Amino acid sequence: MNKKDLIAHSPVRYFDVTNAGLKDGEMGLITAKKGLGKTSILVQFGIDSLLNDKALVHVSFDQQSSNVIAWYSSVLAEIAKKKSLNLDDVNEEIVRNRTILNFNQETFTLPKVVNTLKALKDGGTSIASVVVDGLDMNKTSADDIKCFGDFIKKEKMTAWFSFTNEAADLKGTLAADKLDNFATVAHLAAEGKVLSLAILKNGEGKVSLDAKTLLMTKS
Amino acid sequence: MAWDISKVRNIGISAHIDSGKTTTSERILFYCNKIHAIHEVRGKDGVGAVMDNMELERERGITIQSAATQVQWKDYTINLIDTPGHVDFTVEVERSLRVLDGAIMILCAVAGVQSQSITVDRQLKRYHVPRVAFVNKCDRQGANPVRVRMQLREKLGLNAYMMELPIGLEDKLEGVVDLVAMKAIYFDGPNGEDLRIAEIPANMTADAEKYREELLDAASMFDDSLMEEIMEKGYDGVAEDKIIAAIRKGTLAEQFVGVFCGSAHVNKGIQPLLDAVVRYLPAPNEVRNVALDLDNNEAEVELESVDNKPCVALGFKLDDGQYGQLTYTRVYQGKIKKGEELYNTRNKKRFKVGRLVRMNSAQMEDINEGCAGDIVALFGVDCASGDTFVSGGVNYSMASMYVPEPVISLSITPKDKQASMQMSKALNRFTKEDPTFRVYTDPESNETIIKGMGELHLEVYVERMKREYNCEVITGKPQVAYRESITTTGDFNYTHKKQTGGSGQYGRVAGFMEPDSEKDYEFVDAIKGGAIPNEYIPSCDKGFQKAMKEGSLIGAPIVGVKITINDGQYHPVDSNDNAFQIAAIGAFREGYMKAKPVILEPIMKVQMTAPTEFQGNLFGLINQRRGVIVDSTDENNTSTVNAEVPLSEMFGFSTILRSSTQGKGEFTMEFLKYGKVPNNVSEELQAKYKEEKAAGKK
């Protein structure tokens, strides 16, 4: 019962109205300048997958696992706080279905991440969704992104990426050969006191972010 | 030498297993002229390291028991305690930390901060032990002390700064750059005993200046005058002793950790580390030690490291040597003198101090007295570890040490009659020495059961019985310490009635039980209007506690239950203590089944490392064991996987891990929490319990 409530109140429901959500086999990209809330958005997508019983792998290139775990705990607590929901059982389930992978950008490439995901699957871990946070897309080749996209497509997973970039239009984000791999692109920016996530590719409209909790909310 | 307390350092060496603690200790003994040759830990030369004074340790290459030893470095006395790194022997680490004033935290230059480094860090913080860090094994491939320093900051939240930089790395390690003196130090001679001070190599000056500036900025946070001096004279003009004083201040306040580096194995970096111990770690009189006054409701009493006050000392470790029991003792206040009488505040017995010695690993020196701040050993005292010894009419106890509950048990049967006699002798000694090692006899099966903190922990004791007591035992299959608990509220209303002639029994107990995540057991008396008279309330409490010793599902102890009684009934003649105890037991069983009981099992925090090519195998091993992969990190072609795995699935894991990683995988494991067992496992356990019960085994 509780989980249903949490799903119903998941911030991702506000994102659903943009029709920019990912289908199986697709990848999405969230861009924004540094420190605006990209990780929070990725974590919200991650939690939504977990609440829907979809096993998740969170790949981080710039944060320790303990920080990633703290992100999940605090975002989940914020979602629950809104409706005074109890998290006891949900927390345990989330830990059980979430795997965090930690890589160093200097020594690890997307094809190597694919190898790790394959190893996880071969080891018996089911994966439905992936989020990749902190990867420098400028240092990542189009071929590597395609290799990752092909794997996601083949395995019918979904993957959200974050990318530190200030451009508010599609052209300014990435070169076309890299961009082609992403079904959805959305840009997060501050407009006065409001943070809003604008859909640049696939779907339309905007989603606001609560400035205090960084949760997606009504535009 | 006259006893000058400001020139004493009681230090321990804490580290992740295999970081090189024993090798480092061995080098310290060598450079302090305690020993005159260096031996390898694994005893390839047939001698073994001096600090590993047990045959078994020499063989396994791990240090099981901490050995205390005193060395002289320059005009300082250093009491050095070598602590075990394996988590199974954490109680030894805990005990040592309780009596130490400072610590060297050793880290591996390749592996950096590992799972047990985190455990050690927690322990050092718990006992407020200031530390210096030594990044060892800089001669290994992939060594990177600067990265390890970053990990100390990021993973442990320590304010860590490089005090030295390595000159060369891996097989090109030549020496270190001292960032305080801004000099290069090389270690010449066959065993690195000849220090050669030289100018910093030209290709390192820029780096040295960068890290020195960083270090001085950090140190100046603890001393305003240092900050002023930096502003006036620049980074190069600051006096060395001013920098040392500021760093010392930060270290003692546990707000600064100096990072030194080198390689004990190739004899580089140890002497500057000894200098760091005397420079930055506290003397006994710079540490606050508190005892509890047993004559004054355990009020805290601050102890003074002076000789002219009543003696207060703590026996922190027992050892059975060939001359009888040896008790390692830390003197906190006053003096321990040979021939003087002391009082053990736990067993309330007086005893005379007989032979008094100072230890040098397994060798000893006879002494006449031990002063405040010293670590000595007493002979033939009947005591347990953790006992407090006092004189002069005070009745103090040092705060008790935190002792974790055992999580694994094993049945042992002596092979023959002679072994049977030896076994009780051995067990008696081991339980005195190690509070996490427990022994009991199962009343139903009459088997002797030993309990401990892990498979290796029990294995080592079984082996020690064989070697030290010539006592061979047959071991059963390891058993996990299951628990039972409830998941929802269950009410009860139970009447115990026996009124059929003669003196009767009557008691009714009503109320409810609910899950309690904070405490194992809580009893709330909410009786109004004397429905149960006050005199029978403790009887109810006692009855509930008895009922909780054995759950209905698999006979395991029940934890995490809060019981409230709010109604009941008594009989003026037939009610008594026993009747209400029985009523409470019946009430508990009634409520328990309504409260949806579950079985809990110990879940271990497991960290595995192996070359990246075996990453898939590591994942597979976890998944096959009902484990949860928490995270995985890849660095330098090495995968580190952290997981949570039920203890029952981890038996024999070291062999399996070795075979799946061509012998290159390592793992550590420690108790994390109790977790609910899955339904299928719960059903299996219950069926097995019923079967055993029917067969009369339980």
Side-chain angles (χ1 to χ4, degrees):
Chain A
M1 203 58 232
N2 206 354
K3 217 155 87 170
K4 275 186 185 164
D5 287 339
L6 279 164
I7 294 167
H9 294 101
S10 163
V12 176
R13 298 294 75 79
Y14 296 109
F15 189 82
D16 291 346
V17 298
T18 63
N19 292 321
L22 299 178
K23 296 181 188 71
D24 286 351
E26 289 185 340
M27 303 205 297
L29 182 70
I30 304 290
T31 69
K33 68 178 190 186
K34 206 172 162 63
L36 219 54
K38 293 185 295 296
T39 300
S40 172
I41 292 171
L42 255 48
V43 168
Q44 288 168 59
F45 283 129
I47 286 175
D48 201 57
S49 294
L50 289 164
L51 291 174
N52 284 290
D53 298 323
K54 291 179 174 174
L56 170 87
V57 174
H58 184 115
V59 181
S60 181
F61 280 91
D62 62 350
Q63 290 196 43
Q64 299 266 350
S65 303
S66 54
N67 296 352
V68 175
I69 291 167
W71 264 110
Y72 277 83
S73 301
S74 65
V75 168
L76 197 62
E78 287 296 345
I79 299 171
K81 206 156 70 181
K82 288 203 299 194
K83 291 284 163 186
S84 322
L85 300 168
N86 181 358
L87 288 174
D88 285 355
D89 293 342
V90 176
N91 263 328
E92 207 165 301
E93 247 176 81
I94 278 190
V95 170
R96 187 160 285 281
N97 285 318
R98 178 194 63 203
T99 306
I100 297 162
L101 300 178
N102 217 284
F103 298 120
N104 181 341
Q105 173 96 42
E106 308 304 312
T107 56
F108 237 75
T109 57
L110 278 181
K112 282 189 181 175
V113 178
V114 168
N115 287 341
T116 302
L117 293 175
K118 281 179 180 167
L120 266 173
K121 274 184 73 78
D122 294 345
T125 304
S126 64
I127 309 169
S129 327
V130 182
V131 296
V132 182
D133 193 19
L135 178 71
D136 187 345
M137 289 286 177
N138 293 325
K139 290 181 181 170
T140 309
S141 70
D143 285 348
D144 283 359
I145 298 173
K146 187 177 179 313
C147 159
F148 196 87
D150 289 346
F151 172 76
I152 294 292
K153 205 174 287 173
K154 182 173 161 274
E155 299 293 340
K156 296 189 174 62
M157 298 174 183
T158 58
W160 281 103
F161 281 71
S162 68
F163 173 41
T164 303
N165 182 287
E166 296 195 28
D169 63 307
L170 207 52
K171 266 190 187 160
T173 51
L174 283 171
D177 55 350
K178 291 183 183 181
L179 213 51
D180 284 348
N181 295 287
F182 296 99
T184 295
V185 180
H187 179 66
L188 176 66
E191 296 170 354
K193 284 187 175 177
V194 182
L195 285 170
S196 60
L197 184 67
I199 309 299
L200 306 183
K201 183 181 176 183
N202 181 25
E204 55 196 11
K206 278 184 181 179
V207 179
S208 292
L209 251 67
D210 182 314
K212 211 167 84 187
T213 63
L214 296 179
L215 295 190
M216 290 186 258
T217 182
K218 226 186 214 133
S219 186
Chain B
M1 195 188 295
W3 181 258
D4 175 357
I5 197 164
S6 70
K7 302 236 159 144
V8 177
R9 298 289 179 271
N10 291 320
I11 63 154
I13 298 186
S14 298
H16 186 94
I17 191 166
D18 262 353
S19 304
K21 284 185 309 297
T22 304
T23 309
T24 306
S25 309
E26 189 79 354
R27 298 309 185 267
I28 289 174
L29 295 184
F30 177 77
Y31 296 125
C32 295
N33 299 321
K34 270 276 172 183
I35 55 171
H36 302 290
I38 283 173
H39 301 290
E40 291 307 314
V41 171
R42 289 195 196 274
K44 289 178 198 124
D45 52 6
V47 182
V50 164
M51 293 296 273
D52 282 353
N53 60 3
M54 290 166 67
E55 199 186 328
L56 181 58
E57 292 178 11
R58 282 167 203 244
E59 230 173 74
R60 284 175 179 254
I62 58 172
T63 309
I64 295 159
Q65 292 194 302
S66 46
T69 188
Q70 189 170 92
V71 297
Q72 300 296 324
W73 178 248
K74 297 177 178 172
D75 55 346
Y76 284 82
T77 298
I78 299 175
N79 283 312
L80 179 72
I81 301 235
D82 187 26
T83 54
H86 197 284
V87 159
D88 278 353
F89 308 104
T90 286
V91 69
E92 294 263 9
V93 182
E94 299 258 1
R95 260 201 223 134
S96 316
L97 292 178
R98 179 72 184 78
V99 297
L100 294 172
D101 301 322
I104 298 172
M105 183 183 190
I106 300 190
L107 299 119
C108 169
V110 183
V113 171
Q114 295 163 274
S115 65
Q116 273 172 285
S117 322
I118 296 168
T119 307
V120 161
D121 173 66
R122 216 176 31 232
Q123 289 162 339
L124 291 172
K125 283 172 180 162
R126 181 190 293 146
Y127 292 110
H128 297 291
V129 180
R131 68 186 105 171
V132 292
F134 180 62
V135 182
N136 192 23
K137 299 194 179 184
C138 285
D139 59 321
R140 289 279 182 97
Q141 203 182 344
N144 186 343
V146 173
R147 188 185 65 226
V148 177
R149 173 255 175 157
M150 283 317 291
Q151 290 181 348
L152 285 171
R153 296 179 72 82
E154 289 165 2
K155 290 190 175 180
L156 304 181
L158 297 172
N159 192 28
Y161 286 89
M162 298 307 288
M163 302 287 293
E164 293 171 341
L165 290 178
I167 301 172
L169 269 175
E170 300 176 346
D171 57 348
K172 294 186 178 62
L173 179 71
E174 289 179 63
V176 295
V177 168
D178 177 346
L179 295 172
V180 174
M182 282 305 264
K183 291 282 176 203
I185 306 172
Y186 297 94
F187 305 87
D188 297 342
N191 294 309
E193 58 270 69
D194 301 326
L195 261 59
R196 177 165 51 89
I197 311 294
E199 290 307 309
I200 298 170
N203 64 346
M204 285 190 70
T205 46
D207 260 356
E209 275 164 17
K210 179 184 133 191
Y211 282 103
R212 177 184 162 92
E213 282 179 24
E214 209 179 71
L215 172 67
L216 264 56
D217 283 341
S220 67
M221 292 294 151
F222 305 103
D223 184 349
D224 291 343
S225 68
L226 175 64
M227 201 180 283
E228 285 161 21
E229 202 159 319
I230 294 170
M231 284 176 165
E232 265 174 52
K233 302 174 181 172
Y235 290 101
D236 298 336
V238 185
E240 219 177 294
D241 57 354
K242 213 172 185 93
I243 302 170
I244 291 168
I247 292 173
R248 179 178 177 79
K249 209 168 163 185
T251 307
L252 297 197
E254 291 174 85
Q255 289 170 9
F256 182 97
V257 175
V259 180
F260 298 81
C261 52
S263 166
H265 181 63
V266 296
N267 310 317
K268 287 181 176 32
I270 300 299
Q271 297 93 324
L273 180 66
L274 282 163
D275 286 338
V277 165
V278 303
R279 277 178 179 180
Y280 305 118
L281 295 180
N285 58 351
E286 289 174 302
V287 176
R288 183 174 178 262
N289 288 306
V290 171
L292 304 174
D293 187 348
L294 300 176
D295 292 339
N296 186 16
N297 280 333
E298 297 201 350
E300 283 195 355
V301 185
E302 195 154 337
L303 300 174
E304 291 176 66
S305 300
V306 292
D307 294 341
N308 58 358
K309 286 221 157 197
C311 173
V312 180
L314 175 76
F316 64 94
K317 182 174 155 44
L318 306 184
D319 202 352
D320 239 352
Q322 56 201 98
Y323 310 106
Q325 186 176 288
L326 194 61
T327 308
Y328 288 88
T329 303
R330 157 83 197 248
V331 189
Y332 285 95
Q333 180 179 282
K335 273 185 177 184
I336 285 187
K337 286 184 184 159
K338 197 172 163 179
E340 206 177 56
E341 202 174 61
L342 286 176
Y343 174 69
N344 181 332
T345 58
R346 183 192 56 90
N347 64 14
K348 300 183 174 55
K349 282 183 183 164
R350 295 190 178 283
F351 63 92
K352 209 172 187 152
V353 179
R355 198 174 164 201
L356 195 62
V357 295
R358 188 166 283 137
M359 297 301 294
N360 164 16
S361 194
Q363 300 141 19
M364 53 186 81
E365 300 160 30
D366 278 274
I367 53 173
N368 290 323
E369 60 177 29
C371 302
D374 204 353
I375 289 175
V376 296
L378 306 171
F379 260 99
V381 177
D382 177 25
C383 65
S385 69
D387 283 3
T388 306
F389 313 131
V390 298
S391 72
V394 297
N395 189 15
Y396 295 165
S397 171
M398 299 304 297
S400 67
M401 290 178 273
Y402 165 80
V403 177
E405 277 298 306
V407 290
I408 184 169
S409 63
L410 197 66
S411 71
I412 51 171
T413 317
K415 260 194 169 164
D416 49 38
K417 207 170 174 180
Q418 195 211 339
S420 171
M421 280 159 65
Q422 291 292 80
M423 187 171 94
S424 57
K425 219 194 254 181
L427 293 178
N428 186 28
R429 176 189 152 194
F430 297 154
T431 47
K432 264 189 178 179
E433 273 181 21
D434 179 352
T436 58
F437 179 74
R438 316 265 172 92
V439 179
Y440 78 102
T441 308
D442 185 329
E444 264 114 6
S445 64
N446 224 354
E447 282 177 317
T448 302
I449 310 286
I450 55 175
K451 286 175 155 188
M453 299 311 297
E455 232 180 333
L456 179 62
H457 189 203
L458 297 182
E459 226 175 80
V460 161
Y461 280 119
V462 166
E463 228 165 309
R464 281 183 65 188
M465 276 191 244
K466 191 172 150 187
R467 285 160 189 257
E468 294 168 41
Y469 288 85
N470 196 15
C471 157
E472 284 210 44
V473 295
I474 300 155
T475 55
K477 203 172 156 239
Q479 298 293 325
V480 161
Y482 288 104
R483 298 276 182 271
E484 294 183 28
S485 191
I486 56 173
T487 53
T488 184
T489 304
D491 58 4
F492 50 78
N493 184 352
Y494 185 85
T495 307
H496 169 63
K497 196 157 110 180
K498 203 177 128 213
Q499 294 170 307
T500 50
S503 63
Q505 292 209 334
Y506 185 89
R508 180 169 75 86
V509 178
F512 59 93
M513 61 176 68
E514 56 196 320
D516 186 339
S517 56
E518 299 296 313
K519 292 179 183 163
D520 279 353
Y521 169 72
E522 196 178 349
F523 174 73
V524 179
D525 167 19
I527 296 285
K528 300 270 187 307
I532 298 176
N534 277 343
E535 70 210 80
Y536 298 136
I537 300 292
S539 315
C540 297
D541 186 3
K542 220 184 279 178
F544 286 130
Q545 290 194 50
K546 271 187 187 168
M548 284 181 64
K549 285 195 171 122
E550 208 175 291
S552 319
L553 302 180
I554 55 165
I558 299 164
V559 293
V561 179
K562 180 180 176 183
I563 298 175
T564 304
I565 56 169
N566 52 21
D567 196 12
Q569 213 171 351
Y570 74 105
H571 185 280
V573 177
D574 292 343
S575 284
N576 53 39
D577 167 54
N578 194 36
F580 270 101
Q581 277 195 47
I582 295 170
I585 291 170
F588 183 90
R589 288 188 181 145
E590 185 185 292
Y592 186 62
M593 291 325 280
K594 291 181 189 168
K596 296 191 177 154
V598 289
I599 301 169
L600 306 176
E601 62 181 340
I603 307 287
M604 309 303 276
K605 188 168 86 178
V606 178
Q607 185 180 70
M608 300 179 290
T609 51
T612 299
E613 64 196 274
F614 300 110
Q615 190 186 44
N617 299 7
L618 299 186
F619 293 150
L621 289 175
I622 295 300
N623 282 312
Q624 288 156 16
R625 284 171 174 66
R626 296 195 284 119
V628 173
I629 297 163
V630 175
D631 69 357
S632 168
T633 307
D634 274 80
E635 238 172 336
N636 302 330
N637 209 20
T638 299
S639 278
T640 303
V641 179
N642 286 303
E644 296 175 7
V645 190
L647 174 63
S648 59
E649 305 284 341
M650 289 298 291
F651 297 147
F653 187 71
S654 47
T655 313
I656 293 158
L657 178 67
R658 267 198 301 273
S659 63
S660 344
T661 56
Q662 293 174 8
K664 292 172 185 161
E666 286 177 2
F667 86 104
T668 59
M669 165 170 98
E670 62 179 300
F671 173 72
L672 174 70
K673 62 179 181 188
Y674 267 93
K676 212 167 96 179
V677 303
N679 287 344
N680 59 331
V681 178
S682 173
E683 281 160 16
E684 264 173 46
L685 289 168
Q686 288 183 66
K688 192 172 153 224
Y689 174 67
K690 276 186 190 137
E691 223 173 87
E692 285 177 349
K693 219 173 166 180
K697 276 192 185 173
K698 291 269 171 191

